[in-house]
């Protein structure tokens, strides 16, 4: 493995695959170490909803999305092996780690889904947007990590990622676009994950010799844009989407999830990028 590290950060299970999946494939194919960090469970206010899988088992709504995310990562690394599960305790928070072949490390903070920034009654209407703007002082993940403040959340993210950054030389962050014009119509969680990361960059939370590159990506607005990748990458992205959708449908999601995801097929747009000096 090279000394390059690519860190992909987004809001929900499937966001990295839909909007950054081709960049993730290129990083993995180039033998880079890859970290994927998701901010929320993408529960849609249904953290306790049970879906009936094709095999007859009951699966919680957020779990179905996580299973699809794991299946996509297996496809990216070219292995059917299940990840090795580990844990980090950071600032008193227990964070699960899925290790795929000592190359891809996947994390999810499991914060409540914050659709439109309002949130859902099942999650006491807590959202990342409200935490970011000080409308709430604390936020609780759906797996019971209670973040005492926005700074607590930011420090936890910085500490987790710094463990990987410390052993790498060339660092590239891939995050959602925070600009509401460049990324018109994006989910509240997408914007505020990005704003949180931009704050950390401004605060120099990731101290490293040399340069650190940051790439920002658009998401929902891509539905109205043309395909912008090679035929080979289009085929790859179709396969990646199919694998995610197969797992989602096998675990109780409706067939129309394929149509929803098809709008973003083979459309991966970097809206801006910049380099931070060490």
């Amino acid at each position: 493995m090279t000394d390059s590290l690519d860190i992909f950060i987004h809001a929900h299970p499937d966001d990295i695959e839909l909007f950054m999946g081709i960049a993730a494939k290129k990083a993995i194919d180039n033998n880079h170490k890859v970290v994927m960090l998701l901010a929320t469970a993408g529960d849609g206010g249904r953290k306790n909803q049970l879906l009936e899988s094709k095999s007859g088992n009951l699966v919680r709504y957020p779990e179905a999305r996580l299973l699809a995310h794991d299946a996509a990562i297996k496809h990216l690394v070219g292995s059917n092996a299940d990840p090795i599960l580990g844990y980090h305790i950071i600032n008193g928070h227990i964070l699960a780690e899925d290790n795929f072949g000592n190359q891809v490390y996947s994390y999810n903070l499991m914060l409540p889904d914050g659709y439109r920034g309002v949130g859902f009654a099942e999650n006491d209407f807590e959202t990342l947007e409200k935490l970011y703007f000080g409308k709430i002082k604390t936020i609780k993940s759906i797996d019971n990590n209670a973040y005492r403040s926005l700074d607590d959340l930011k420090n936890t993210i910085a500490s987790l990622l710094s463990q990987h950054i410390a052993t790498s030389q060339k660092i590239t962050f891939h995050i959602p676009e925070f600009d509401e014009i460049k990324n018109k119509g994006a989910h509240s969680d997408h914007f505020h994950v990005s704003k949180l990361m931009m704050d950390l960059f401004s605060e120099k939370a990731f101290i490293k010799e040399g340069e650190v590159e940051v790439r920002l990506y658009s998401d929902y607005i891509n539905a109205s844009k043309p395909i912008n990748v090679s035929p080979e990458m289009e085929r790859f992205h179709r396969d990646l989407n199919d694998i995610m959708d197969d797992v989602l449908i096998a675990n109780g999601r409706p067939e129309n999830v394929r149509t929803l995801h098809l709008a973003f097929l083979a459309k991966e747009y970097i809206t801006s990028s910049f380099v931070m000096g060490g």
Side-chain angles (χ1 to χ4, degrees), residues 7-12 15-16 19-20 37 39 173-179 183 186-198 201 214-219 269 271-272 274:
I7 300 174
F8 294 83
I9 300 174
H10 223 301
H12 313 110
D15 284 341
I16 291 173
F19 308 119
M20 307 171 173
L37 174 62
F173 282 90
H174 307 257
I175 67 172
E177 173 59 65
F178 62 88
D179 185 287
N183 205 11
H187 194 294
S188 168
D189 290 339
H190 297 190
F191 285 131
H192 293 91
V193 165
S194 183
K195 290 175 181 179
L196 185 153
M197 291 305 303
M198 292 298 292
F201 298 145
V214 179
R215 300 175 187 171
L216 294 93
Y217 296 73
S218 57
D219 41 77
Y269 283 84
T271 52
S272 59
F274 59 92

Side-chain angles (χ1 to χ4, degrees), residues 69-97:
H69 179 58
D70 283 356
I73 297 175
K74 288 181 184 180
H75 181 66
L76 283 164
V77 301
S79 172
N80 287 323
D82 288 331
I84 298 171
L85 180 62
Y87 294 92
H88 294 264
I89 300 177
I90 299 176
N91 297 339
H93 308 300
I94 301 173
L95 304 179
E97 172 188 271

Side-chain angles (χ1 to χ4, degrees), residues 64-189:
R65 297 194 71 176
L66 293 173
L67 289 171
H69 179 58
D70 283 356
I73 297 175
K74 288 181 184 180
H75 181 66
L76 283 164
V77 301
S79 172
N80 287 323
D82 288 331
I84 298 171
L85 180 62
Y87 294 92
H88 294 264
I89 300 177
I90 299 176
N91 297 339
H93 308 300
I94 301 173
L95 304 179
E97 172 188 271
D98 285 339
N99 174 350
F100 295 82
N102 293 322
Q103 184 179 10
V104 178
Y105 297 82
S106 177
Y107 307 91
N108 192 327
L109 299 177
M110 301 295 283
L111 298 177
D113 192 315
Y115 181 62
R116 297 188 184 276
V118 177
F120 298 95
E122 189 172 19
N123 300 322
D124 296 324
F125 296 103
E126 294 182 349
T127 71
L128 184 57
E129 178 177 335
K130 289 180 182 178
L131 183 72
Y132 187 84
F133 287 112
K135 295 179 180 178
I136 57 175
K137 300 301 182 185
T138 64
I139 193 167
K140 186 177 181 180
S141 69
I142 71 167
D143 59 353
N144 295 316
N145 275 315
Y147 294 92
R148 299 174 292 274
S149 64
L150 177 62
D151 282 344
D152 182 25
L153 177 60
K154 287 163 63 174
N155 291 338
T156 300
I157 292 171
S159 296
L160 174 66
L161 297 180
S162 293
Q163 294 180 17
H164 294 281
I165 290 170
T167 58
S168 303
Q169 293 301 315
K170 186 179 185 304
I171 318 297
T172 305
F173 282 90
H174 307 257
I175 67 172
E177 173 59 65
F178 62 88
D179 185 287
E180 296 186 18
I181 296 175
K182 293 180 180 179
N183 205 11
K184 185 177 180 180
H187 194 294
S188 168
D189 290 339

